Every structure is written in C-alpha cells, then in structure tokens.
Amino acid sequence: MIEEGLRERKKRETRRQIAEAAVGLFAERGFEQVPVSDVARAAGVSVATVFNYFGTKEALVYSGLEAFEEELIAAVAERPRGVSVLAAFRDLVTHPSGLLASHDPDALDRIAIAARITAGSPALQARERELNDRRAGRLATLIAKEIGAAAGDIEPWVRANALVGVQHAMLKYLHSQVLAGRRDPGLAEDLVAQGNAAFDALEQGLR
C-alpha cells in the first residue's frame, strides 16, 4: 500500500512537471511554435512519457477541461431522482473549481496565462470547439434517452447546446476579466452571478 501511494505521488509530480514546463514554453513562444520534444526536454522526460500522461499536445493545456467533462456528465447521469438535468448541470458549473477554487495566490495570474496561450493559438481554439461539441453531444444523448426522443429529434441537442453554451460563456467571461487585469477576490462571485442569471433565463424555457 505504501509503495502504491509513493508510485501515485510520483506520477502526480511527473504530470505536474510536464504541465508546468509546457505552459511556460507555450507562454513564452506560443503553442504552435513549441514541439513536444521541447516540452519533454524542459520537463526532463522522454517524448513517450509526455504522451503517456497527455494523449495529445492540446491536452497539455486542456486536460483540466477534459476531466471536468467527465465530472459533468457523471453529475447529470447520476443525479438524484427528481433533480432536473438543468439543476444538476447548474449546480456543478456554478460551484468554482480548479484554480478558481484554490487558495493559490497566483491562481488568477495562471488563468490569465492559459487564456493568453489559447487566444494566440488557432489549434487550441479549434480543440476547444471540439470539446464543447463533444460535451454537448454526450449531454444530448443522455437527454434524448430520458425524454424518449426519436432518432434525429433536435430538442435534446437544443437543450444540451444551451447548457454547454452557458458553461462556455462563463469561461469566456472569466478569461476576458483576467486578461483585462482583474485580480480581485470578487471575480469568482461575479462569475457565479453571471452564470446563475443565464441559467435563470434558460430555466424559463428548459424547465
């Protein structure tokens, strides 16, 4: 058990080293200008090791979003009886997580760095769209099954894309604020308020 714990700790540390090396290089030179071999060299690992921890180059930036997707789909699929899809989705999305919920004093600076990297990379922006589409597709499949929609019905897609749209808009709001220089503690509260206002609007039609 102790050996397993040490092994897992080592894996987490290696993953952290790779991610930090990647972000540093991407921030300095731009995502497209940094080959994975440079990331591996900076992290002191092999290229194969980088891909063992991060399946794609884009995952070096978006692994957090991919993990959040799994959490989000699970929250909707496993929600208690009587709780709507919208309520389960909203509950998770409007609770700050990751860096925004951490006690790291540099959290907002780190979010700003990630936002700048993404803003300067067509490849990352394309990947972000793919992730949003995938998330909406998985959510639509769940909704279609629950409401008994016929194959090809658009209602599940409309519902799913509306919900994912709020999450995406909240992320864009956060990025715009930190890129504009905002670093005050009230940002997380404002972000949640923005999200709740959007969900309130949707609830009128998606109840």
Side-chain angles (χ1 to χ4, degrees):
M1 262 333 240
I2 294 176
E3 183 179 342
E4 183 179 345
L6 290 173
R7 197 159 52 235
E8 288 305 312
R9 195 176 306 130
K10 173 63 174 175
K11 286 182 178 179
R12 286 196 299 272
E13 177 60 19
T14 301
R15 185 181 180 86
R16 185 192 64 77
Q17 282 181 243
I18 294 170
E20 288 188 355
V23 168
L25 290 172
F26 296 157
E28 179 184 344
R29 290 154 50 187
F31 180 80
E32 274 82 357
Q33 283 66 50
V34 179
V36 174
S37 58
D38 283 9
V39 174
R41 190 178 305 112
V45 299
S46 67
V47 170
T49 298
V50 173
F51 284 119
N52 282 340
Y53 283 87
F54 300 90
T56 65
K57 183 182 176 185
E58 288 78 11
L60 287 161
V61 177
Y62 283 141
S63 62
L65 271 183
E66 293 176 359
F68 184 71
E69 176 181 323
E70 299 305 321
E71 187 178 355
L72 189 55
I73 295 300
V76 172
E78 300 165 13
R79 71 191 189 280
R81 183 184 297 274
V83 175
S84 69
V85 170
L86 188 151
F89 190 100
R90 176 180 189 160
D91 186 60
L92 186 62
V93 169
T94 56
H95 281 78
S97 59
L99 279 174
L100 201 58
S102 74
H103 298 294
D104 182 352
D106 299 320
L108 294 179
D109 287 332
R110 293 170 65 185
I111 291 171
I113 290 169
R116 286 192 196 95
I117 292 170
T118 302
S121 170
L124 286 175
Q125 292 166 31
R127 179 56 178 161
E128 185 175 0
R129 289 190 293 272
E130 290 174 1
L131 289 173
N132 286 334
D133 287 346
R134 185 179 73 184
R135 192 175 308 121
R138 294 178 67 187
L139 187 59
T141 299
L142 286 174
I143 293 171
K145 183 177 179 181
E146 289 192 11
I147 67 175
D153 282 358
I154 68 170
E155 182 183 345
W157 287 90
V158 172
R159 291 176 179 244
N161 278 282
L163 294 172
V164 170
V166 175
Q167 180 199 359
H168 182 61
M170 289 176 68
L171 180 63
K172 290 303 181 186
Y173 176 81
L174 173 61
H175 283 184
S176 70
Q177 293 295 299
V178 295
L179 288 176
R182 187 170 177 186
R183 297 292 186 275
D184 63 277
L187 176 54
E189 184 178 337
D190 287 350
L191 177 65
V192 170
Q194 291 279 338
N196 278 325
F199 282 120
D200 284 344
L202 287 184
E203 195 167 16
Q204 303 308 311
L206 299 182
R207 190 183 326 230

